[in-house]
């Protein structure tokens, strides 16, 4: 299926005159330009599955007095990330299913029917293609270009900027592109004969829990997302935004572990891209952002021999805020050395408790003890200040066994199904050495998540080897601050939450103006987003975007080239 139908030059030469709307606008649902039922029927006859009509997650609970579907199931599984991603209209953060009008009216479909509002479509696309093959995607893209439609690419719907949804849009849903193949001698097309990888190829709808299971069955492990249920997509936005992992300090980021990608561009061409074929597009797809260059149909990743893993578990109860900030700062300061030894870590602040879960693949318990001694010594030095501590080192036979423990540990977490917006910052070695105390003040204030998912191997890789923001190469820690709210919160109250988020963004930016943020874990309100998300690579990414997307079909919020579009991403300036 990995067929290159035309060379790119041919494709560009043949379709140079992109259809365009004289108003410079894309067609959305409800306008006279919207395709007719007959035109959609013709589309349906060309794809492998019936067209889909996405609905908001809670729609089965309406009308409230006579629910049309299985509302019990919706209530039971609301916070289940794998269930949500199996629904074409569902977003992991339900706020991205809603649409806020300028006058403050919110179009949404709440789970809480007692709020008394009707179930509305909000930002959920109205119709689309349930893609199973590259051919389905080619047909869908050609249709969207022909009718000048506002197109959205949706995989799991986990995006924190709502980039996999769009009001009145036509959607290509990649969730069911589920092929997984393990090949111990994978050869990228066009590569020298001696270049092979023990690789796994995932269809773009595969999710990390599925990829990990198959890798494990082959005695392998992979650099992938570390969410609590493995529901993040393995071949979609995660990779294209960068892709951090518990294995990153040892093996690099997602973008550093790809041998080949297949992708359909807006000209309808299915390309196989790697370091030897279309290396510029291969470069951009590794960190230049999802939904921007084409629709990825498969990704081939390197895999690694399954190793043992060792856990460093720390939990501290600290009621004194000054001491808690000291603890956060002190832990930050020690992270560069830990990542250089292969440690990753996830820190969670919840009121007076800081939990930190460190992991190192292939390290013995004794070596783990020695490697973390400076951290352990530091932590116990705070006991005299009223800190109550628990520190443990535990071995696991395999990384997979550790991952299974991790999932169980967080099984009650509210990671999915919550209305929220987040911002992140990539903290450099220099910041951790010199500004750890100032940073800790903000992180305490926002009850931050502290992800030690960079440094180590990530810092050793040439910053220009992938389109990814070069800020990642200096970074050791990614911090995440967020706001959340209950259903029914007014637009004015949500704006207040966003104002709080903006304060943290401004304060972190002021402390670390040279740093960046992680495109996949960020807000719509980052300062100087082009630099913040892509750094010095922005210009080159924009050139590649313009070259491979001559029809300007792929546009997402704060994605490369999106500055040419209005806020709704429907009309060009
Ligand atoms: C609970 C949770 C845990 C997370 N954990 C991690 C983590 O451990 N590490 C990490 O790095 N990130 C993590 N993330 C962030 C994650 O990387 C982003 O949410 C990312 O956007 C998810 O990509 P997706 O394809 O699954 O989701 P989607 O929302 O479906 O897509 C995201 C973006 O990619 C585009 N896209 C999707 N598929 C394709 C495709 N085939 N071709 C082209 N464009 C496509 C979409 O248009 C959209 O712009 C987490 C997110 C959540 C919600
Ligand atoms: C151009 O876009 C506008 C706004 O979406 C729409 O009303 C109009 O019908 C479109 N015209 C064509 C020819 O697509
Ligand atoms: C509704 O969902 C519940 C929980 O998943 C399930 O047990 C039940 O069988 C479902 N009912 C129908 C009619 O699908
Ligand atoms: C707000 O604007 C929307 C869209 O124009 C409209 O449907 C709604 O009635 C307006 N609400 C109020 C309270 O004016
Ligand atoms: C649902 O909304 C009602 C009315 O605002 C409120 O009283 C109730 O607490 C809400 N329920 C939940 C579970 O949030
Ligand atoms: C999935 O894999 C099977 C078996 O290798 C193959 O026949 C099929 O064409 C693949 N489908 C896609 C969409 O790649
Ligand atoms: C493949 O062979 C070339 C030429 O002999 C050599 O330079 C290169 O390092 C080899 N690559 C690998 C991956 O072995
Ligand atoms: C909190 O700790 C700081 C630093 O150790 C100390 O100066 C301060 O008195 C403590 N505050 C309280 C309320 O105990
Ligand atoms: C990191 O390790 C080096 C070499 O062992 C040491 O000199 C340095 O003090 C350590 N840094 C911190 C912050 O502990
Ligand atoms: C943290 O504090 C808030 C507000 O006081 C409370 O609602 C919440 O349950 C607390 N969380 C934990 C884990 O104790
Ligand atoms: C490290 O080893 C020492 C000596 O065996 C032991 O006392 C200590 O508890 C170990 N540290 C951890 C965190 O397990
Ligand atoms: C921290 O507080 C929690 C909740 O009060 C408690 O369960 C836990 O045992 C405490 N941990 C330590 C190390 O004191």
């Amino acid at each position: 299926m990995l067929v290159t139908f035309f060379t790119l030059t041919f494709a560009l030469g043949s379709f140079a005159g992109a259809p365009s709307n004289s108003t410079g606008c894309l067609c959305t649902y409800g306008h006279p330009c919207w395709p007719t039922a007959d035109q959609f029927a013709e589309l349906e006859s060309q794809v492998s599955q019936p067209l889909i009509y996405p609905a908001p997650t809670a729609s089965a609970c309406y009308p409230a007095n006579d629910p049309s579907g299985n509302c019990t199931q919706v209530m039971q599984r609301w916070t289940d990330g794998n269930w949500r991603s199996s629904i074409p209209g569902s977003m992991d953060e339900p706020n991205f299913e809603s649409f806020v009008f300028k006058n403050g009216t919110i179009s949404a479909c709440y789970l809480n029917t007692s709020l008394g509002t009707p179930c509305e479509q909000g930002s959920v696309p109205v119709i689309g293609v349930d893609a199973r093959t590259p051919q389905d995607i080619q047909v869908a893209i050609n249709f969207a270009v022909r009718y000048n439609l506002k197109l959205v690419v949706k995989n799991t719907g986990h995006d924190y900027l709502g980039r996999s949804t769009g009001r009145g849009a036509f959607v290509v849903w990649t969730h069911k592109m589920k092929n997984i193949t393990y090949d111990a001698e994978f050869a990228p097309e066009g590569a020298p004969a001696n270049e092979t990888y023990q690789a796994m190829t995932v269809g773009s709808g595969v999710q990390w829990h599925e990829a990990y299971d198959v890798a494990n069955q082959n005695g392998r492990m992979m650099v992938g997302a570390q969410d609590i249920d493995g529901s993040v997509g393995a071949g979609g936005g995660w990779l294209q935004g960068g892709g951090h992992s518990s294995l990153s300090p040892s093996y690099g980021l997602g973008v550093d572990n790809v041998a080949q990608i297949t992708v359909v561009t807006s000209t309808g061409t299915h390309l196989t891209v790697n370091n030897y074929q279309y290396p510029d597009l291969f470069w951009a797809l590794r960190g230049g952002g999802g939904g921007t260059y084409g629709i990825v149909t498969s990704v081939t990743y390197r895999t690694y021999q399954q190793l043992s893993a060792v856990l460093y578990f720390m939990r501290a109860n600290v009621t004194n805020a000054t001491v808690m900030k000291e603890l956060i700062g002190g832990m930050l300061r020690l992270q560069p050395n830990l990542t250089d030894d292969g440690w990753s870590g996830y820190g969670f602040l919840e009121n007076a408790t800081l939990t930190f879960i460190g992991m190192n693949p292939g390290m013995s318990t004794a070596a783990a003890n020695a490697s973390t001694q400076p951290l352990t010594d530091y932590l116990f030095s705070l006991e005299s200040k009223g800190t109550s501590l628990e520190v443990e080192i535990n071995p696991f036979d395999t990384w997979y066994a550790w991952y299974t423990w991790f999932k169980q540990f967080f099984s009650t977490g509210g990671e999915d199904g919550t209305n929220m917006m987040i911002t992140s910052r990539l903290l450099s070695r220099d910041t951790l050495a010199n500004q750890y105390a100032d940073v800790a003040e903000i992180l305490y204030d926002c009850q931050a998540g502290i992800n030690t998912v960079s440094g180590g191997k990530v810092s050793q890789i040439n910053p220009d080897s992938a389109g990814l923001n070069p800020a990642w190469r200096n970074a050791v820690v990614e911090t995440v601050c967020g706001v959340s709210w209950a259903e029914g919160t007014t637009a004015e109250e949500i704006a207040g939450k966003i104002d709080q988020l903006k304060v943290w963004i401004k304060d972190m930016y002021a402390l670390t103006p040279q740093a960046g943020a992680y495109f996949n874990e960020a807000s719509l309100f980052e300062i100087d987003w082009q630099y913040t998300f892509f750094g010095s690579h922005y210009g080159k990414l924009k050139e590649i975007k313009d070259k491979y997307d001559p029809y300007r079909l792929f546009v997402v919020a704060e994605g490369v080239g999106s500055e040419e579009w209005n806020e709704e991403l429907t009309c060009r300036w």
Side-chain angles (χ1 to χ4, degrees):
M1 286 305 139
L2 315 182
V3 182
T4 305
F5 291 116
F6 308 102
T7 67
L8 185 79
T9 345
F10 176 74
L12 290 182
S14 314
F15 300 98
S20 69
N21 182 322
S22 57
T23 66
C25 291
L26 296 169
C27 185
T28 52
Y29 177 70
H31 290 93
C33 55
W34 193 248
T36 63
D38 282 353
Q39 287 160 342
F40 278 118
E42 194 194 337
L43 168 67
E44 191 164 51
S45 73
Q46 294 166 11
V47 290
S48 68
Q49 306 297 315
L51 297 183
I52 48 171
Y53 300 85
T57 316
S59 58
C61 296
Y62 290 81
N65 57 353
D66 180 20
S68 57
N70 195 342
C71 185
T72 309
Q73 186 183 45
V74 173
M75 289 189 287
Q76 285 170 348
R77 304 195 69 180
W78 188 256
T79 61
D80 176 342
N82 279 303
W83 177 76
R84 296 188 75 91
S85 53
S86 73
I87 301 170
S90 183
M91 291 294 285
D92 204 56
E93 282 71 55
N95 46 301
F96 293 112
E97 294 175 25
S98 66
F99 185 83
V100 184
F101 289 105
K102 293 265 185 296
N103 63 12
T105 297
I106 300 179
S107 174
C109 182
Y110 296 127
L111 176 63
N112 185 350
T113 53
S114 307
L115 289 163
T117 51
C119 174
E120 291 184 353
Q121 191 77 8
S123 289
V124 175
V126 289
I127 192 169
V129 168
D130 174 3
R132 305 292 171 97
T133 63
Q135 286 79 356
D136 283 344
I137 291 178
Q138 291 174 304
V139 169
I141 284 179
N142 291 341
F143 185 83
V145 169
R146 176 166 172 202
Y147 293 102
N148 192 36
L149 303 182
K150 164 81 190 143
L151 174 86
V152 159
V153 184
K154 183 180 185 243
N155 183 25
T156 66
H158 277 38
D159 196 69
Y160 284 115
L161 293 92
R163 296 172 302 176
S164 39
T165 192
R167 185 168 172 79
F170 172 75
V171 63
V172 174
W173 191 42
T174 60
H175 173 71
K176 294 195 177 164
M177 303 272 293
K178 290 286 190 188
N179 260 16
I180 302 184
T181 323
Y182 177 72
D183 183 349
E185 289 175 37
F186 178 84
E189 277 185 36
N194 63 351
E195 185 181 325
T196 63
Y197 300 93
Q198 288 175 274
M200 212 165 90
T201 300
V202 296
S204 52
V206 170
Q207 290 166 280
W208 277 114
H209 71 96
E210 297 160 331
Y212 291 152
D213 288 351
V214 174
N216 186 51
Q217 285 153 21
N218 288 284
R220 311 295 291 175
M221 58 184 194
M222 299 172 77
V223 171
Q226 198 63 56
D227 55 321
I228 58 170
D229 57 8
S231 60
V232 170
W238 177 84
L239 169 69
Q240 291 171 60
H244 66 67
S245 169
S246 63
L247 292 172
S248 289
S250 296
Y251 300 100
L253 296 164
V255 296
D256 302 322
N257 284 280
V258 189
Q260 185 162 289
I261 296 173
T262 60
V263 55
V264 181
T265 65
S266 65
T267 60
T269 316
H270 192 214
L271 300 175
T272 297
V273 307
N274 57 41
N275 276 324
Y276 307 94
Q277 298 181 171
Y278 311 102
D280 52 354
L281 182 54
F282 185 59
W283 185 85
L285 286 170
R286 289 177 301 124
T292 304
Y293 309 91
I295 303 185
V296 166
T297 52
S298 76
V299 179
T300 304
Y301 286 107
R302 289 173 176 227
T303 65
Y304 296 93
Q305 188 192 339
Q306 178 86 252
L307 298 177
S308 65
V310 61
L311 164 74
Y312 184 91
F313 182 88
M314 186 284 293
R315 179 165 275 175
N317 291 336
V318 192
T319 48
N320 180 321
T322 309
V323 177
M324 183 60 106
K325 290 175 196 171
E326 195 181 331
L327 173 56
I328 296 166
M331 285 194 66
L332 288 175
R333 203 172 64 86
L334 293 166
Q335 297 308 307
N337 278 3
L338 291 169
T339 60
D340 288 343
D341 280 353
W343 288 96
S344 59
Y346 298 90
F348 306 87
L349 191 55
E350 261 190 312
N351 300 338
T353 303
L354 178 67
T355 306
F356 180 78
I357 293 171
M359 191 278 297
N360 206 323
M363 191 179 245
S364 71
T365 307
N369 185 313
S371 163
T372 54
Q373 201 62 54
L375 174 59
T376 306
D377 288 347
Y378 172 73
L379 294 171
F380 281 100
S381 76
L382 294 175
E383 264 195 323
S384 59
K385 298 187 179 176
T387 299
S388 160
L389 262 185
E390 183 188 334
V391 178
E392 262 180 52
I393 292 177
N394 282 322
F396 289 83
D397 286 344
T398 58
W399 173 85
Y400 188 82
W402 173 79
Y403 153 76
T404 306
W405 171 85
F406 187 92
K407 289 202 290 187
Q408 282 159 3
F409 183 80
F410 288 106
S411 60
T412 56
E415 216 179 33
D416 315 86
T418 302
N419 298 302
M420 66 167 133
M421 290 193 186
I422 62 173
T423 179
S424 63
R425 204 74 188 155
L426 301 172
L427 303 186
S428 68
R429 285 167 193 266
D430 183 58
T431 296
L432 295 177
N434 300 308
Q435 291 172 293
Y436 59 88
D438 296 332
V439 167
E441 293 279 334
I442 303 169
L443 300 184
Y444 178 79
D445 190 40
C446 80
Q447 298 273 294
I450 299 171
N451 299 332
T452 300
V453 288
S454 198
K457 175 78 176 180
V458 179
S459 306
Q460 294 159 20
I461 294 170
N462 177 355
D464 297 325
S465 62
L468 181 78
N469 189 345
W472 270 104
R473 303 301 171 184
N474 284 325
V476 170
V477 166
E478 181 216 19
T479 60
V480 178
C481 295
V483 291
S484 62
W485 59 89
E487 286 188 325
T489 300
T490 64
E492 197 183 350
E493 290 165 330
I494 294 172
K497 297 274 182 181
I498 291 172
D499 285 343
Q500 169 64 77
L501 194 65
K502 286 178 177 170
V503 170
W504 293 324
I505 292 171
K506 192 165 122 314
D507 290 351
M508 286 300 271
Y509 182 88
L511 278 177
T512 61
Q514 301 302 312
Y518 180 28
F519 189 47
N520 279 343
E521 295 179 325
S523 74
L524 296 165
F525 315 103
E526 305 299 332
I527 297 166
D528 190 4
W529 63 261
Q530 287 92 336
Y531 182 81
T532 291
F533 292 141
F534 306 102
S536 59
H537 288 166
Y538 191 81
K540 189 171 169 196
L541 288 169
K542 178 75 169 55
E543 279 173 30
I544 297 169
K545 178 308 242 223
D546 290 344
K547 174 177 169 188
Y548 286 94
D549 183 17
Y551 294 166
R552 297 187 169 86
L553 184 64
F554 300 108
V555 50
V556 294
E558 299 190 346
V560 169
S562 65
E563 67 274 8
E564 294 173 357
W565 295 79
N566 66 352
E567 196 184 331
E568 292 78 28
L569 305 175
T570 49
C571 296
R572 293 183 74 211
W573 296 119

